Structure formats: C-alpha cells, structure tokens
C-alpha cells in the first residue's frame, strides 16, 4: 500500500501544478482588480462579478445555455434512435456501424469545424449546389444556425456512445420477458427499455452539454462573432481585451453553473432506485 | 388431463449450420406436467422459445387449442415464461414486477392489487412488495419470476431450467412448491431441465431429446424401466448396456449365454442392445448358483447402497446392492427376465451419424 501511495506522488504533483494552482489563480483574479503584471497594484474588488451582471453579458450567458440546451436536445433526439439501431444490429456489423458514427471524433476538432465553414460559407459548397439547382442562397453562416449545426455534429458521438453502451448491456431476456407478459413494442420501450437507459441518457446529456456550453471554437468560427457565447467572451477577455479579472469571474460563474447542472443530472440518474429504496 | 392443448408438428429450427430442433412431433395435454430432458445443446431451450414466440420455426407448426400459433406474436400468446436467469425488471420493485403483466392489460388497480397480493402470498413473499429485486436472494428472485408469470393466469407456463441456479436443498424445496402450484392452479407446465432426477420426480410426461430429435416420450416409469434405445438408457440413471442377439421371442443371447426375457417382436437373430439396471442384478455368494460368474474389483459405499464393479469373462457389470461383497471375491450374478430390457438397434430416432 505504501508503495502504491508513493507511485501516486508524481500524479499528485501534476494535479497540483496543472489543476489546483490555475484554479486558485482564476479565483484570485476574479476577486481583484488592477494591473495584472504588477502584483502590488492588485486589490480586492467585486467589479469582475458586477460586470457579469450587465445585461449584454447576461444575454450572452443565457444564449450559451439556450444554444447548448437546444443542441443537447437535438443530439438526444438523433442519438437515441441511432444508438438503438446500433445496439440491435447483428453482432457482426455492430462494430462497423458504431465506428462509422464515431470516426468523426478521430479527426481533428478544428479541421472538422473548418470543413463545415467551407461547406456553409456564403460562397461555399452548399450554396454553390443550391445556386446550380436554381434555388435561393442559404445564409446560415455566420449565425446561430451554423453554430447549432456545428455543435450537434461535433458532439453527437458523445451522446450516441453512452446510450449505446447502456442499451447493449440490457439483457435481451428482460425485453423478451416484457413481450412475454403482454407488452407490445411501444409498451416495452416506454416501460422497460427507456427507464433502463436513463443512466446512458444522463451521461450523454452531460457529455454533450458541458463542451457545448463552454465552446468558443465552434461559435467563433461558425458564428462569426454574430452570436458570441460565454466561451468566446472568456477567450476575448484573456487574449484581446486583456481583462483577466472579468474573464476569471466569467469562468467561475460558468463553472458554478455547470456544477449545478451536473448535480441536477446526477439527481435524475439516481432518482428511480432511490425512490424505491425510500419506500422500504 | 385429456384434451390436447399444444401440438408440435414437424417443428424444425436451424441456425446457420446446426439444426437445433429437427422435426419434432409432440402433443401436450391440458394440466400436464411435461419435461423436456436432454444433454446440453439438444434443443430444449429452442423448442421452448418457439412455443413462447421468441423464435420463428423454419418448418412445422405449433397448434394451440387447435389453432395455428406460428404467426401470433409473443405478447399475444396465452403462454408465460419463467426465464432461466429470471430476467426480472431491475428498475421496479417486487410488486411492480409482478403487476407488470396486469398493468399492460389495463386491468383495474383494485384487481391488480388483489391478484398481486394473492400471488405474493402463494410464493411466500408477503411483505417483500417494496423490495428492490436486486436485493433479493436467488431463491426469492426465482419466486418473483414465477409469481410474475403465474399472476397472468396463463394456460401454459414455460420454465427453462428455473432451478438451475439454486443450491441442492433449495432446489428440492422449490421442486415441491412448483408441483403444488401446478396441481392447485391446474396449469400446464412445460419444463426444461438437463437434470434427469428432477425430470423423473416432477413430471407426468418426460420427453427425452438428443441432438434436436425426440428419443422417447413417456411417463417417468416408462422412461426408466423401458428405455427405447441406448441413448435413453444411458442418459436416465446408471445402467449396463450390452450388445446381444435376439434369438427368438422371449430369448436373448449375450456374453455367450442365452437368457429368458419378456420382449418379443424382433426378427430372428436380430442384433439388439440390452439394458440392465445396476440395482436389478442379484448377487449370490456361491458362483455356481449364478448365471454369470465374476470377480468383485471395486466397492464404493454410496449411502443407500454399495456400488460394486464385478468383472466377468467378457465385461464389467455395475451392480448396486445393500449387502457388500468384499473386493476380490468371486460371486455369481442373476437377472430376472423382467429386468432385461431389450432395445432395437439402429432403427432408433437417433440421428447420431448426422451430427
Ligand atoms: N441464437 C443462436 N444462434 C446459433 N445457434 C444457436 C442459437 N441458439 C441455439 N443455438 C444452437 O442450437 C442448439 C440447441 O441449443 P439450445 O439452446 O436449444 O440447447 P439446450 O438443449 O437448451 O441446451 P442447454 O441445456 O445447454 O441449455 C445448440 O447447438 C446451440 O448452439
Ligand atoms: Mg437451454
């Protein structure tokens, strides 16, 4: 045991340097103001947080959560049936099918987003095809529509995977038992398959919502600054506006909101068995 | 126990290159306790699954009360199943598991409550209503599975090795409970097992299968006392299986001697298989008084009896007697004509050469 404890030391050091310290720095900057390069100039202040409450920034936060929420919902609506189809495919082809849906993850994230840019841009592939067909131009990029598309495309595999994993673990004989007891396909799905797949849905939602709500690459590239999200705002504060205090405050707020939504999700995940346990 | 309830006609199921069930014919009567018995992979589960509606037959028909059942989906069949590994709904408590079938049929809540409670009482699980099924022992889960199926009052209950996962003591208890339930509810049971003792103790009718083919159908006594072929004789209980020749009616010869027997209807000098149960061989101390002479080569105490191997000039006989004869002693052995079971060779329904 001692040995194993010692082996963990480098890991602990790593964690402290790259996770704990940056976290405290951000917390520190969020509660101060002044010249960030001059430690003597820094003083306690809540201005970073006050700025977050300004209507334009509140709207950005609201937009981020709304967009992330919508894209999560779309991912769920597309991802669940896909996961179900994969899980019900013959074992021989199942891995192939799964790989087809997962392959996009193996490509570089930026590359994928650039690909969408060139597809959707005003003179991009899509519009040239439309023009060629004599149809009116589509102007979704830059804009929220394109951002939504980018989010769904990029994060869909993260919805499919956990749901597929849970579905493929459901014992076939449980489904047969439901049929045996008189349940047709709809009843069996609603009362057996869906409730049993809740853990997969919950982790799928978490795995899509979290990156979607904090992304800045997708909104930056496909939104073209027209629909800034909280991620863009934070990026701006650190890279161009150089207002680290405001950026840090935004990060902390985002983190708190994510923690709250994660807590809610894990509640949903556990609610069913807990209810039963409570009845005992 | 009179009207035919289920009829299987030439039922066949193939998977890629194996024939799991090979053209079986079987009639199951109302209130009958039928057991499908056979070694692993002989097609018991497949047969049961075709009756339950989880597997489509490739050939043949399933009739239920005279009506074709082949194209009726599982959820519309008046048949319920107790699955091998219970297949309980882990996201529901005991009560909801049992109530599931009734809820699906939109039966009023008050009646559901009455029937579920009655059923739980019957399987001795009163007070377990709100327990999570994961928190139950194997035997309790088994009871939930049985209650969940029986609460629907099916005409037929299919059970696929329902006691396979239980320890010996619990298994014996559950065997008795299942029999009681079957008798008191008057439901037809189709029971799958590969445990020959279980099959013999519980069933009205035993169906012995091998390699997808029915070998013999009969009462437990028939199957034990008059096995139709080598396979059945070897699979049910221990036995001495000997090759011989049927000289004429009531006369069979083996090991160079001629024995009286009670079988007839064979061609003159037809080669046959003979089965003699180990408990049917009597031992006499004076070797000259026995039809067969032999030397005791091994003695094992088995509780109720001693199991001895006695070597004659031509073969080893397995003998079970309550009286022990010491190793090395020369003894004589006698067999009553009624205890010599003569079986046809070759013309059996066994498709061994195909497998
Ligand atoms: N889904 C399937 N795909 C391919 N082959 C199958 C399938 N189900 C069963 N088989 C084959 O069919 C044969 C009969 O199987 P079955 O499950 O009916 O045997 P069983 O008598 O129930 O055996 P056990 O006592 O081991 O449960 C076996 O050879 C098995 O490998
Ligand atoms: Mg089986």
């Amino acid at each position: 045991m001692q040995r194993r404890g010692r082996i963990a030391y480098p890991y602990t050091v790593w964690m402290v340097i790259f996770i704990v310290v940056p976290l405290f720095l951000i917390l520190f900057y969020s509660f101060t103001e002044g010249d960030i390069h001059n430690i003597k100039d820094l003083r306690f202040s809540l201005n970073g947080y006050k700025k977050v409450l300004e209507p334009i920034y509140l709207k950005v936060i609201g937009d981020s959560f709304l967009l992330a929420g919508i894209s999560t919902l779309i991912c769920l609506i597309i991802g669940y049936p896909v996961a179900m189809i994969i899980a019900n495919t013959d074992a021989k082809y199942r891995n192939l099918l799964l790989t087809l849906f997962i392959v996009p993850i193996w490509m570089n994230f930026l590359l994928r987003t650039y690909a969408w840019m060139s597809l959707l841009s005003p003179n991009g592939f899509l519009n040239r095809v439309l023009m060629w067909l004599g149809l009116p131009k589509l102007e979704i990029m830059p804009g929220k529509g394109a951002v939504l598309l980018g989010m769904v495309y990029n994060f869909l595999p993260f919805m499919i995977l956990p749901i597929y994993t849970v579905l493929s673990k459901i014992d076939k004989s449980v489904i047969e038992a439901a049929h045996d007891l008189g349940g047709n396909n709809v009843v069996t799905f609603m009362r057996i398959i869906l409730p049993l797949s809740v853990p997969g849905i919950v982790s799928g939602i978490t795995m899509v919502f979290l990156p979607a709500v904090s992304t800045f690459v997708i909104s930056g590239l496909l939104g073209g600054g027209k629909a800034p999200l909280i991620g863009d705002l934070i990026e701006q504060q650190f890279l161009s506006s150089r207002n680290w205090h405001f950026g840090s405050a935004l990060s902390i707020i985002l983190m708190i909101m994510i923690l709250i939504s994660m807590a809610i999700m894990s509640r949903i995940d556990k609610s069913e068995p807990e209810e039963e346990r409570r009845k005992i | 126990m009179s009207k035919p309830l289920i009829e299987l006609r030439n039922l066949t199921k193939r998977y890629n290159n194996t024939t799991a069930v090979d053209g079986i014919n079987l009639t199951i009567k109302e209130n009958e306790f039928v057991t499908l018995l056979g070694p692993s992979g002989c097609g018991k589960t497949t047969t049961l699954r075709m009756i339950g509606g989880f597997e489509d037959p490739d050939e043949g028909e399933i009739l239920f009360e005279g009506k074709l059942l082949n194209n009726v989906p599982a959820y519309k069949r008046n048949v319920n199943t107790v699955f091998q590994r219970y297949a309980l709904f882990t996201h529901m408590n005991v009560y909801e598991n049992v109530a599931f079938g009734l809820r699906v049929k939109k039966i009023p809540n008050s009646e559901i409550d009455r029937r579920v409670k009655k059923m739980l009482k019957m399987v001795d699980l009163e007070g377990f209503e709100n327990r999570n099924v994961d928190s139950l022992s194997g035997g309790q889960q088994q009871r939930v599975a049985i209650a969940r199926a029986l609460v629907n009052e099916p005409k037929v209950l299919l059970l696929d090795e329902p006691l396979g996962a239980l320890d010996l003591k619990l298994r014996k208890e559950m065997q008795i409970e299942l029999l009681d339930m079957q008798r008191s509810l008057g439901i037809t049971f189709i029971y799958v097992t590969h445990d020959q003792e279980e099959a013999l103790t519980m069933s009205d009718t035993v169906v012995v299968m091998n390699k997808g083919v029915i070998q013999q159908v009969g009462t437990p006594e028939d199957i034990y006392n008059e096995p139709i072929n080598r396979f059945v004789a070897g699979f049910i209980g221990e036995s001495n299986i000997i090759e011989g020749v049927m000289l004429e009616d009531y006369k069979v010869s083996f090991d160079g001697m001629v024995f009286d027997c009670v079988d007839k209807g064979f061609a003159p000098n037809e080669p046959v298989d003979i089965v003699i149960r180990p408990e049917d061989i009597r031992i006499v101390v004076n070797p000259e008084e026995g039809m067969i002479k032999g030397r005791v080569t091994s003695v094992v105490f088995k509780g109720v009896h001693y199991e001895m191997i006695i070597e004659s000039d031509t073969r080893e006989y397995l003998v079970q007697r309550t009286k022990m004869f010491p190793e090395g002693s020369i003894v004589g052995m006698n067999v009553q004509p009624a205890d010599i079971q003569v079986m046809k060779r070759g013309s059996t329904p066994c498709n061994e050469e195909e497998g």
Side-chain angles (χ1 to χ4, degrees):
Chain A
M1 287 314 278
Q2 275 273 299
R3 278 253 177 88
R4 219 179 273 169
R6 244 177 257 153
I7 290 169
Y9 284 164
Y11 194 70
T12 317
V13 172
W14 172 279
M15 292 248 298
V16 169
I17 293 177
F18 292 101
I19 299 175
V20 179
V21 171
L23 208 66
F24 273 101
L25 280 177
I26 287 179
L27 205 61
F28 172 73
Y29 281 123
S30 77
F31 282 108
T32 52
E33 65 178 5
D35 183 0
I36 49 165
H37 299 299
N38 185 355
I39 200 117
K40 281 179 207 143
D41 188 42
L42 290 176
R43 57 202 171 274
F44 177 79
S45 152
L46 287 175
N47 282 346
Y49 287 97
K50 273 186 200 143
K51 202 165 173 183
V52 174
L53 295 177
E54 283 172 25
I56 40 164
Y57 299 127
L58 281 182
K59 185 175 179 305
V60 170
I61 294 174
D63 275 358
S64 308
F65 274 78
L66 187 69
L67 241 97
I70 294 173
S71 64
T72 307
L73 194 69
I74 296 175
C75 281
L76 181 63
I77 291 169
I78 301 174
Y80 198 101
V82 169
M84 219 163 142
I85 290 168
I86 300 175
N88 286 330
T89 305
D90 216 51
K92 260 187 283 176
Y93 308 106
R94 195 182 305 157
N95 280 335
L96 181 74
L97 202 60
L98 191 63
T99 315
L100 279 180
F101 278 95
I102 303 308
V103 148
I105 312 186
W106 297 346
M107 270 187 291
N108 183 282
F109 178 73
L110 273 174
L111 205 67
R112 273 179 280 159
T113 310
Y114 276 119
W116 274 110
M117 267 176 85
S118 67
L119 276 176
L120 299 177
S121 70
N123 292 315
F125 179 78
L126 184 71
N127 276 328
R128 261 184 271 155
V129 171
L130 286 176
M131 243 157 63
W132 184 74
L133 291 172
L135 294 168
K137 261 191 171 185
L138 261 181
E139 290 187 3
I140 58 167
M141 205 207 95
K144 280 184 186 167
V147 174
L148 211 55
L149 201 97
M151 284 179 174
V152 170
Y153 176 77
N154 276 308
F155 303 133
L156 185 60
F158 299 103
M159 182 65 83
I160 295 176
L161 263 182
I163 296 178
Y164 161 76
T165 309
V166 172
L167 285 179
S168 63
K169 280 201 195 115
I170 295 178
D171 190 353
K172 280 269 178 307
S173 62
V174 169
I175 293 165
E176 285 177 353
H179 287 308
D180 185 74
L181 295 165
N184 57 25
N185 288 334
V186 176
V187 168
T188 305
F189 177 76
M190 294 306 290
R191 301 222 187 150
I192 308 294
I193 299 174
L194 193 59
L196 285 175
S197 60
V198 165
I201 297 175
V202 167
S203 55
I205 290 178
T206 317
M207 284 170 75
V208 171
F209 185 78
L210 294 192
V213 80
S214 54
T215 182
F216 58 90
V217 175
I218 295 175
S219 49
L221 294 178
L222 297 172
K226 261 193 174 175
L229 299 183
I230 192 165
D232 303 297
L233 207 55
I234 294 171
E235 190 208 13
Q236 264 173 33
Q237 302 317 312
F238 283 96
L239 297 184
S240 43
S241 313
R242 297 266 163 196
N243 188 346
W244 286 24
H245 308 291
F246 178 42
S248 301
L250 274 171
S251 307
I252 296 290
I253 296 281
L254 180 62
M255 229 168 68
I256 290 169
M257 291 179 82
I258 286 175
L259 283 177
I260 291 172
S261 35
M262 265 166 65
I264 294 172
M265 287 313 287
S266 67
R267 221 0 116 64
I268 293 173
D269 192 6
K270 290 199 191 98
S271 66
E272 275 182 73
E274 241 169 49
E275 242 167 58
E276 268 162 35
R277 254 174 247 138
R278 243 178 274 135
K279 278 192 219 149
I280 298 170
Chain B
M1 211 195 279
S2 48
K3 273 196 291 175
L5 187 63
I6 291 184
E7 277 173 81
L8 309 181
R9 289 194 188 150
N10 189 31
L11 203 61
T12 301
K13 178 75 193 176
R14 294 186 197 92
Y15 295 109
N16 308 327
N17 40 24
T18 47
T19 305
V21 174
D22 197 354
I24 64 171
N25 290 288
L26 184 66
T27 303
I28 295 162
K29 289 181 239 116
E30 241 167 54
N31 298 351
E32 203 175 0
F33 194 124
V34 180
T35 299
L36 305 182
L37 174 67
S40 187
C42 73
K44 307 179 294 287
T45 298
T46 308
T47 307
L48 208 67
R49 287 173 59 79
M50 285 192 281
I51 299 173
F54 308 117
E55 214 79 67
D56 287 326
D58 290 316
E59 268 172 49
E61 295 169 339
I62 304 170
L63 300 181
F64 186 83
E65 293 179 321
K67 285 191 281 289
L68 194 65
L69 201 61
N70 288 42
N71 297 319
V72 179
Y75 66 89
K76 284 189 184 158
R77 297 190 184 190
N78 196 359
V79 167
N80 285 114
T81 309
V82 176
F83 290 85
Q84 186 158 10
R85 276 171 298 118
Y86 317 147
L88 297 179
F89 305 134
T90 47
H91 60 297
M92 297 178 186
N93 61 20
V94 170
Y95 184 98
E96 284 306 320
N97 263 277
V98 178
F100 184 85
L102 303 178
R103 289 218 193 285
V104 168
K105 289 180 199 94
K106 303 227 158 59
I107 283 166
N109 274 334
S110 55
E111 194 188 334
I112 291 182
D113 197 54
R114 189 181 58 76
R115 278 165 73 174
V116 171
K117 293 239 165 89
K118 194 178 124 199
M119 209 61 233
L120 285 176
K121 188 172 178 185
M122 183 159 177
V123 296
D124 214 11
L125 281 177
E126 269 177 311
F128 284 73
E129 286 85 351
N130 295 321
R131 284 279 289 273
N132 197 325
V133 290
D134 280 337
S135 72
L136 301 180
S137 73
Q140 289 164 340
Q141 292 191 16
Q142 182 59 73
R143 284 162 214 256
V144 176
I146 292 166
R148 184 180 69 172
L150 283 179
V151 78
N152 302 288
E153 294 169 5
K155 280 246 166 97
V156 180
L157 189 68
L158 310 176
L159 304 102
D160 191 356
E161 307 204 20
L163 310 181
L166 307 182
D167 65 52
L168 191 66
K169 186 165 173 288
L170 196 55
R171 193 150 77 207
K172 299 265 184 225
E173 278 171 30
M174 288 295 296
Q175 283 176 2
I176 294 167
E177 283 178 39
L178 275 176
L179 264 181
D180 281 350
M181 277 187 242
Q182 194 256 342
R183 301 258 156 83
S184 64
L185 295 173
I187 294 176
T188 304
F189 273 34
I190 307 181
Y191 192 97
V192 163
T193 182
H194 57 243
D195 179 344
Q196 44 112 354
E197 194 189 325
E198 191 167 278
L200 295 181
T201 33
M202 297 179 81
S203 332
D204 297 317
T205 305
V206 179
V207 178
V208 185
M209 293 178 70
N210 187 29
K211 296 185 174 161
V213 180
I214 291 182
Q215 304 292 312
Q216 188 171 5
V217 181
T219 63
E221 291 84 358
D222 285 349
I223 300 278
Y224 188 84
N225 293 330
E226 281 151 44
I228 196 167
N229 60 28
R230 221 167 218 281
F231 174 81
V232 177
F235 193 73
I236 310 284
E238 286 161 306
S239 50
N240 297 289
I241 301 175
I242 304 160
E243 289 178 5
V245 174
M246 198 72 185
L247 300 175
E248 58 188 78
D249 283 357
Y250 312 116
K251 285 255 182 288
V252 64
S253 112
F254 60 88
D255 285 359
M257 270 171 288
V258 178
F259 294 82
D260 289 330
C261 65
V262 293
D263 300 274
K264 60 175 171 122
F266 293 86
N269 294 321
E270 183 178 335
V272 290
D273 284 324
I274 294 142
V275 59
I276 304 172
R277 295 291 178 189
E279 68 272 19
D280 290 336
I281 299 177
R282 316 256 161 97
I283 300 178
V284 283
V285 189
N286 181 357
E288 302 311 321
E289 280 173 27
M291 287 182 275
I292 312 162
K293 225 185 290 179
R295 198 169 64 91
V296 181
T297 58
S298 128
V299 181
V300 179
F301 180 58
K302 289 265 173 156
V304 204
H305 53 247
Y306 292 91
E307 193 167 279
M308 288 164 277
I309 293 175
I310 301 178
E311 211 177 272
S312 76
D313 291 342
T314 43
R315 68 181 65 252
E316 286 181 341
Y317 288 89
L318 187 71
V319 184
Q320 291 167 354
R321 303 265 29 135
T322 47
K323 189 164 179 290
M324 197 267 274
F325 294 84
E327 244 171 74
S329 56
I330 309 284
V331 294
M333 289 178 280
N334 285 316
V335 188
Q336 297 290 313
D339 293 333
I340 296 178
Q341 166 67 15
V342 181
M343 309 175 297
K344 263 192 176 354
R345 206 191 295 171
S347 68
T348 58
C350 183
N351 288 4
E352 223 147 353
E353 53 285 348
E354 279 176 27

